Amino acid sequence: MQLKQKKSPLKKCVEFIESSKLKFSESEKAYPTRDQIKGYDIIEESFHTIPSLDKDTKKIGFVDGGSSPLITSSDLNISFNRVAGCIFKGQNPIELSNIPTIIEYYTATIIDVQEDGKLKFIIKSFPREEDHREYIPDELIFFINDKSIREQFGYLPKIEQMGGIVMRFSEWIYGKHLIESELDNGDIFIRDGSLQTGYTNEIKEAEKLFSIGSKKNIYITGLSKSCRLITDKGNSLVSVVNAIGNNKFPESPWYFYPSFRITRADNQADVYFVKLHRHATHSFRFDIFLEQSQALKEEDKEIIISNIAYNSTDLSFPGYPYGLIKVDQLARISMRELDSQKIALLSEFDQDIYKSFILPRLRSMDAHDIINKIRK
Amino acid sequence: MTNLGDKIGSFVAGSLNRLVVRKKSDQLFELGQLFVAGSSFDDYSIYQIKDLIYGSQIPENALELMAGYNLEREATDLRVYEPELRNYVLGIVKPLTNIKNKSLFLPKKLPTFFAEIFDIEDDHLDFFEKPENPITFGKIRSGSKILNTEVKLEGPKVLRHHILIPATTGRGKSNLVKVILYNLIENHKCGKLVFDPHNEYYGTAKVKGLKEHPNSSKYLDFYTIRDIPGKLDLRFNVNLLNPWHIMGTLDITTPQSDALILYYRQYGDEWIQSIFNDSLGTPEGVGEVTQSVLRRKLAVLLDFGFDTEENIIENGIYTLDGYETTVENIIRSLLEGKTVIIDTSLFSGKEEIFIATIITENLFRRYKSLKFRDELEDKPVITIILEEAPRVIGKKVLEVRDNIFGQIAREGRKFKIGLIGITQLPSLIPREILANMNTKIILGNEMGPERNILIESSAQDLSDDSQTIASLDIGEAIITSHLTKFAIPIKIPLFEDLIQGEKNSSKIKEHSPGF
């Protein structure tokens, strides 16, 4: 008699996924997740090869930021932030001549109460070098009930995220300076991520960047490492696009357009999907500022994408722009430097004040760390 | 900061004894390379690269993948962007010495963060002094780059405290000894006694040797049984022998040793002859069997034959008549600071040791006596060059019976006699003697255990140098000595080049480290 083998729970999980996700549908369409987003059919005709760049090499400016909390309680936070930029012409780096490559600053956040009883986050920024003040917002205020900073399910925002929010603002501000001072007519600006803004007043800083970009005819773009967009059949949009693109152009880089057109006030973008190198394992969402994209001719769009593809031949990550790898590395805050920053910060406190007022507050948040330390 | 020369990298991490430097992309780092860092020519330190590793800003698995693209894909346009920034060489380095206003100090401070490092130049070695009676080993070497600064140490001091030259075959031991002897030949403050089992130091028609020195006729004595113009006869009268010479050479029993002593006491200088003389009988307490065995063993050792009437026929270098002054002549030459080469290449190992023992013991006795009479001070230091040194100062040999060489190794410096021991296997030499050999000129050695022995017995900390020693090329060496402030990497010149005067002496700075 043969024993009937019992299926493991994991096996059941896998079977469930396999039953619905092995094949893509014949015809799928980008699924608009919000209003004022138009999704397009994913059809073979929308896939095009990226022409190789044999002339017209543009300068490409890249910007990225990093942020990490140094101390946090439920009512105060100090974070360390960094924004970095670089420029490449084709595959060659160009030194920034008018603005610094790296901006570093601290943000201090407290919760204050207004006369009418409303609570608000007050975030002040302190550059490590006074000359860098122009690249960061001096002070930001968010009411605690501001929807743009709320957590999922409407929970109160975490105070330690305020540093990261300021960093978003400073990325736009720094990017504006980069476009203004370092790039010329026809050049390209790429930020890490989409062109989406979300936090209250963030769009104001983004619009300054869009405005100077349009004025100088510098193309404003964003490349997203990850993409949560889906199709109307519930599949991962980037996966569907990847499968069709690779099937049509197995030996060359390609782009897919149109996919989405976003015409929201906080996000105006034409969304492309690009595979920037034939050996690339990933394709990415690529946004071009809507106003510029609509005005571009087909060949101009291809010049932009070809320029970015030309910068995406680094062996460490084929198909991903090296400029973004570089700014990521420049802006990243390592755990090692975080430790030394924490020590420097703690040494600045008056010891009596620290013991009486700060330490008790920090204990509201640090029990988890203690558990982590005693866990083997 | 004052520029100390060509910038080749900068410090990035580490601790005092294990600093990490990053190489400038257009420079070259080598194992054993020297470099300097500091604030000015009045305050800087010399460092040495002990190991080299790859550094990269790219994670290891990404690097492996990158290599895969190059290896497995056909023509690809993929490349490494900014390779000079992202992939680099890191050197693990150790400070050797700190120089402040030309005085040497042990390094006690970390260099400043990101401090720049500079390629070493001869100007950085200006602190070396010129000794009065120099012994020249070669030129300072930084990795494989040879500087013009010569390494000279105070000859009498170094020789008195013994030198060990360990290396495997083909790494240039003989060349080094020739270079040392050649450079010392006119130095009358040092007498040089060379036991040459391969006949390689004097020189032959095919192989250049010390006879090529322009003043060799004045400063060089060559004792051999070969028929060579200018040679001196290597022959000894048996009266020069004593029982302890025999005991140090032959494997003999206690009754046989006692018998030798009894003969010696009874017959004095004629004691050897008396063993072979039937008419004299045997001393009291010595049996005829013992006498017979001693006759046989001595006949073999002294290469005696017998005619039909049982008269001794001298086949070798030992004679019953004449040559009473051979040893005295050798000692006199040494006292004049000459080089005396004893060609033992035509003898067996035992015979060679026997000859060396006779000469050395007489020499040692003379120097002891001079010291006793307070007349040693103005006499030259004598150095004795011993090839395959463990044959006489090896653990096994000395465990069985102490000998004159072991004695000199332990206490020779008190009497101004030192050894230059040459060996492939320093591990065979007792630790106590290894420690007494204060200067070691370490040539290349692939054998890990042998390297470890050397590292453990060195005057300086060479704990990070095992790989460096293994990778020393022919003629490259490290001098470690209590007479130097740090272990000095050197390049030994080729003897043939030295005698042809190919060195450009006008460019050479004559300096000595350490004193």
Side-chain angles (χ1 to χ4, degrees):
Chain A
M1 193 179 77
Q2 222 177 4
L3 283 173
K4 195 178 175 185
Q5 271 202 323
K6 206 177 166 186
K7 280 182 189 170
S8 73
L10 270 178
K11 179 69 181 169
K12 290 177 190 170
C13 278
V14 169
E15 281 180 354
F16 173 65
I17 295 291
E18 285 175 348
S19 65
S20 61
K21 292 291 176 190
L22 284 186
K23 283 183 183 171
F24 297 123
S25 306
E26 289 290 310
S27 64
E28 301 200 28
K29 186 178 177 180
Y31 179 74
T33 49
R34 298 175 76 176
D35 57 349
Q36 293 175 283
I37 298 179
K38 179 177 166 50
Y40 291 84
D41 290 338
I42 307 167
I43 50 172
E44 271 203 14
E45 290 70 35
S46 299
F47 287 82
H48 316 275
T49 55
I50 300 173
S52 56
L53 188 75
D54 45 13
K55 57 172 185 168
D56 211 6
T57 310
K58 308 285 187 192
K59 278 195 289 186
I60 311 175
F62 301 86
V63 171
D64 196 6
S67 173
S68 196
L70 297 176
I71 57 167
T72 297
S73 74
S74 56
D75 61 353
L76 68 87
N77 164 266
I78 295 178
S79 291
F80 180 55
N81 308 282
R82 186 180 283 150
V83 175
C86 72
I87 293 178
F88 277 78
K89 187 169 173 63
Q91 298 177 339
N92 302 313
I94 295 175
E95 292 290 319
L96 301 188
S97 48
N98 300 308
I99 66 168
T101 302
I102 290 172
I103 305 296
E104 291 179 333
Y105 60 99
Y106 300 100
T107 52
T109 308
I110 55 164
I111 300 176
D112 199 12
V113 58
Q114 282 195 155
E115 281 179 6
D116 59 3
K118 284 183 180 171
L119 293 176
K120 59 187 178 185
F121 290 112
I122 300 177
I123 316 156
K124 279 191 172 291
S125 303
F126 304 93
R128 291 186 82 178
E129 289 182 37
E130 200 48 43
D131 291 352
H132 295 172
R133 185 166 286 286
E134 61 182 309
Y135 303 101
I136 55 176
D138 183 42
E139 181 182 276
L140 292 179
I141 294 174
F142 292 98
F143 284 102
I144 207 156
N145 290 318
D146 185 334
K147 283 183 181 170
S148 75
I149 61 168
R150 281 246 157 182
E151 289 279 297
Q152 258 186 325
F153 312 118
Y155 284 111
L156 284 178
K158 290 177 182 166
I159 193 167
E160 62 267 33
Q161 288 172 351
M162 297 304 129
I165 291 172
V166 178
M167 186 203 75
R168 286 276 298 249
F169 280 70
S170 56
E171 280 180 351
W172 291 114
I173 300 169
Y174 177 85
K176 186 200 81 173
H177 283 278
L178 184 93
I179 292 169
E180 203 165 28
S181 316
E182 307 283 350
L183 299 178
D184 302 308
N185 180 29
D187 288 342
I188 301 158
F189 170 82
I190 298 192
R191 73 187 301 272
D192 182 29
S194 70
L195 297 179
Q196 167 85 50
T197 61
Y199 302 119
T200 301
N201 293 328
E202 185 187 357
I203 187 65
K204 288 181 185 169
E205 298 300 341
E207 277 176 344
K208 288 178 197 167
L209 181 144
F210 297 147
S211 166
I212 190 77
S214 297
K215 195 171 148 194
K216 287 186 72 175
N217 192 34
I218 291 157
Y219 301 109
I220 313 300
T221 70
L223 191 99
S224 307
K225 282 192 284 287
S226 58
C227 173
R228 293 181 180 277
L229 295 172
I230 54 171
T231 67
D232 60 347
K233 299 290 190 296
N235 287 314
S236 153
L237 175 60
V238 76
S239 306
V240 175
V241 167
N242 212 22
I244 298 171
N246 286 344
N247 188 46
K248 187 175 179 185
F249 302 114
E251 289 300 322
S252 52
W254 48 258
Y255 70 95
F256 165 59
Y257 176 81
S259 62
F260 281 111
R261 179 159 293 165
I262 307 169
T263 51
R264 295 172 56 81
D266 60 358
N267 188 5
Q268 300 207 349
D270 232 353
V271 179
Y272 298 64
F273 284 84
V274 290
K275 181 181 167 180
L276 294 168
H277 193 274
R278 67 190 174 107
H279 290 321
T281 50
H282 295 63
S283 50
F284 302 107
R285 170 182 166 174
F286 178 62
D287 293 10
I288 299 182
F289 178 46
L290 184 63
E291 178 191 303
Q292 292 177 322
S293 178
Q294 283 177 325
L296 283 170
K297 286 185 264 176
E298 197 65 27
E299 62 261 36
D300 292 331
K301 289 173 187 171
E302 289 189 346
I303 286 173
I304 293 171
I305 296 172
S306 295
N307 267 281
I308 293 164
Y310 189 57
N311 187 258
S312 304
T313 53
D314 184 67
L315 271 162
S316 67
F317 195 172
Y320 189 71
Y322 175 68
L324 284 177
I325 297 174
K326 183 168 181 177
V327 282
D328 174 80
Q329 209 163 18
L330 289 172
R332 190 176 291 270
I333 297 164
S334 69
M335 289 304 290
R336 203 168 140 186
E337 73 178 308
L338 211 54
D339 286 342
S340 61
Q341 287 284 345
K342 281 180 187 173
I343 291 165
L345 169 65
L346 294 179
S347 69
E348 293 287 347
F349 278 107
D350 177 287
Q351 286 309 299
D352 292 335
I353 292 175
Y354 181 76
K355 275 183 192 163
S356 307
F357 300 103
I358 305 297
L359 195 55
R361 286 179 156 81
L362 298 183
R363 284 187 178 143
S364 69
M365 301 280 286
D366 72 353
H368 196 80
D369 292 342
I370 295 169
I371 292 289
N372 279 342
K373 279 180 190 166
I374 61 176
R375 188 172 59 191
K376 279 212 167 180
Chain B
M1 196 186 84
T2 307
N3 196 331
L4 287 165
D6 293 333
K7 186 165 67 180
I8 58 170
S10 71
F11 289 100
V12 290
S15 57
L16 186 59
N17 267 321
R18 194 183 181 279
L19 289 155
V20 184
V21 289
R22 175 177 166 151
K23 180 179 82 72
K24 195 166 177 286
S25 62
D26 57 355
Q27 296 295 320
L28 188 74
F29 272 6
E30 278 185 287
L31 205 60
Q33 183 175 341
L34 303 174
F35 62 83
V36 297
S39 58
S40 70
F41 269 90
D42 292 328
D43 185 4
Y44 61 96
S45 296
I46 298 180
Y47 300 83
Q48 187 174 38
I49 296 177
K50 302 292 183 182
D51 200 2
L52 293 169
I53 51 176
Y54 286 120
S56 181
Q57 290 297 302
I58 304 167
E60 203 167 318
N61 59 349
L63 289 169
E64 290 161 8
L65 180 66
M66 290 160 75
Y69 276 114
N70 276 333
L71 294 168
E72 309 298 344
R73 294 280 181 271
E74 287 167 16
T76 174
D77 56 348
L78 294 172
R79 53 187 281 260
V80 178
Y81 282 57
E82 300 185 287
E84 73 287 356
L85 280 181
R86 298 162 76 202
N87 297 323
Y88 39 83
V89 170
L90 296 171
I92 308 300
V93 307
K94 206 169 179 174
L96 296 183
T97 188
N98 174 238
I99 301 106
K100 268 188 193 159
N101 299 317
K102 312 243 185 250
S103 297
L104 303 191
F105 299 92
L106 287 173
K108 291 193 177 80
K109 282 188 299 185
L110 272 178
T112 52
F113 225 151
F114 294 133
E116 291 172 338
I117 63 173
F118 305 92
D119 208 5
I120 196 160
E121 291 165 12
D122 288 298
D123 290 346
H124 299 125
L125 303 167
D126 268 352
F127 55 85
F128 287 164
E129 294 155 10
K130 187 183 173 188
E132 211 174 307
N133 296 288
I135 171 170
T136 307
F137 296 100
K139 293 179 181 178
I140 290 197
R141 178 178 53 81
S142 170
S144 59
K145 175 183 156 188
I146 315 301
L147 298 170
N148 280 324
T149 304
E150 285 197 318
V151 179
K152 291 170 184 276
L153 299 179
E154 179 64 30
K157 254 190 189 175
V158 173
L159 296 175
R160 188 173 178 166
H161 288 85
H162 313 300
I163 295 176
L164 182 72
I165 302 177
T168 46
T169 309
R171 297 299 184 108
K173 293 190 295 285
S174 304
N175 181 71
L176 167 62
V177 176
K178 274 192 207 176
V179 167
I180 292 173
L181 290 172
Y182 191 88
N183 288 328
L184 274 177
I185 205 162
E186 289 177 313
N187 189 331
H188 65 280
K189 297 275 185 185
C190 315
K192 290 76 63 180
L193 174 60
V194 187
F195 295 107
D196 184 359
H198 308 297
N199 189 28
E200 56 191 342
Y201 294 120
Y202 184 72
T204 63
K206 289 182 181 172
V207 181
K208 304 274 187 203
L210 298 178
K211 70 181 169 75
E212 311 297 333
H213 194 281
N215 289 324
S216 64
S217 59
K218 196 173 165 189
Y219 296 112
L220 182 64
D221 288 353
F222 182 49
Y223 285 85
T224 181
I225 58 170
R226 295 169 199 270
D227 194 14
I228 294 171
K231 65 119 183 186
L232 295 163
D233 278 340
L234 183 62
R235 298 200 77 182
F236 302 94
N237 191 293
V238 291
N239 294 356
L240 294 168
L241 306 183
N242 65 40
W244 293 274
H245 295 147
I246 310 293
M247 288 182 234
T249 309
L250 295 179
D251 294 327
I252 51 176
T253 61
T254 307
Q256 289 162 0
S257 305
D258 294 345
L260 290 176
I261 294 167
L262 289 171
Y263 273 108
Y264 187 63
R265 281 185 187 158
Q266 192 161 331
Y267 299 104
D269 285 351
E270 300 278 314
W271 71 284
I272 296 271
Q273 291 90 328
S274 66
I275 292 174
F276 292 98
N277 190 339
D278 283 334
S279 63
L280 294 175
T282 58
E284 196 181 335
V286 179
E288 284 185 4
V289 176
T290 304
Q291 183 194 41
S292 169
V293 173
L294 286 175
R295 277 184 185 178
R296 182 168 40 85
K297 287 190 174 180
L298 284 173
V300 172
L301 178 68
L302 303 175
D303 208 1
F304 284 170
F306 300 94
D307 62 15
T308 49
E309 292 170 4
E310 292 295 303
N311 294 315
I312 293 172
I313 302 168
E314 298 156 358
N315 295 321
I317 59 170
Y318 303 98
T319 176
L320 301 171
D321 294 308
Y323 293 100
E324 290 92 347
T325 59
T326 304
V327 172
E328 181 54 34
N329 294 342
I330 291 170
I331 293 173
R332 193 183 311 123
S333 291
L334 293 171
L335 280 164
E336 289 168 6
K338 285 187 177 181
T339 301
V340 178
I341 299 175
I342 314 292
D343 170 20
T344 56
S345 62
L346 297 172
F347 303 109
S348 70
K350 274 191 177 172
E351 286 173 302
E352 183 196 342
I353 291 169
F354 186 52
I355 295 164
T357 304
I358 296 166
I359 300 169
T360 307
E361 197 161 81
N362 280 289
L363 174 69
F364 191 57
R365 204 182 314 131
R366 172 69 64 84
Y367 262 57
K368 263 181 145 173
S369 146
L370 286 167
K371 183 170 173 77
F372 183 74
R373 299 200 306 266
D374 267 344
E375 292 170 9
L376 189 60
E377 197 53 40
D378 59 342
K379 297 292 182 288
V381 166
I382 307 293
T383 184
I384 302 168
I385 286 97
L386 292 173
E387 291 269 359
E388 294 156 45
R391 290 183 306 162
V392 287
I393 52 170
K395 283 177 204 163
K396 279 189 181 170
V397 178
L398 295 174
E399 270 167 20
V400 174
R401 184 177 285 119
D402 195 11
N403 62 37
I404 183 63
F405 301 101
Q407 207 179 339
I408 290 175
R410 284 191 304 275
E411 52 181 332
R413 65 188 167 87
K414 285 192 291 189
F415 304 101
K416 295 179 80 171
I417 300 179
L419 301 175
I420 296 183
I422 303 161
T423 179
Q424 295 190 43
L425 299 167
S427 61
L428 298 182
I429 298 172
R431 293 219 165 197
E432 178 203 357
I433 291 182
L434 273 181
N436 271 342
M437 306 195 88
N438 277 314
T439 299
K440 295 181 180 70
I441 307 172
I442 303 170
L443 296 135
N445 199 323
E446 295 95 346
M447 293 181 283
E450 299 301 324
R451 295 202 299 271
N452 292 340
I453 290 285
L454 292 171
I455 288 165
E456 285 165 16
S457 63
S458 292
Q460 277 93 16
D461 177 15
L462 297 183
S463 53
D464 296 321
D465 284 284
S466 187
Q467 196 48 47
T468 309
I469 294 169
S471 63
L472 288 173
D473 232 324
I474 298 172
E476 294 180 348
I478 297 170
I479 297 183
T480 166
S481 172
H482 76 297
L483 299 170
T484 63
K485 290 279 185 188
F486 58 92
I488 308 168
I490 62 162
K491 174 73 178 177
I492 301 149
L494 204 58
F495 181 72
E496 283 72 13
D497 293 344
L498 186 67
I499 59 175
Q500 281 166 22
E502 284 184 4
K503 63 178 179 178
N504 188 349
S505 57
S506 64
K507 284 187 181 173
I508 294 172
K509 292 187 172 190
E510 295 191 340
H511 286 315
S512 159
F515 297 114

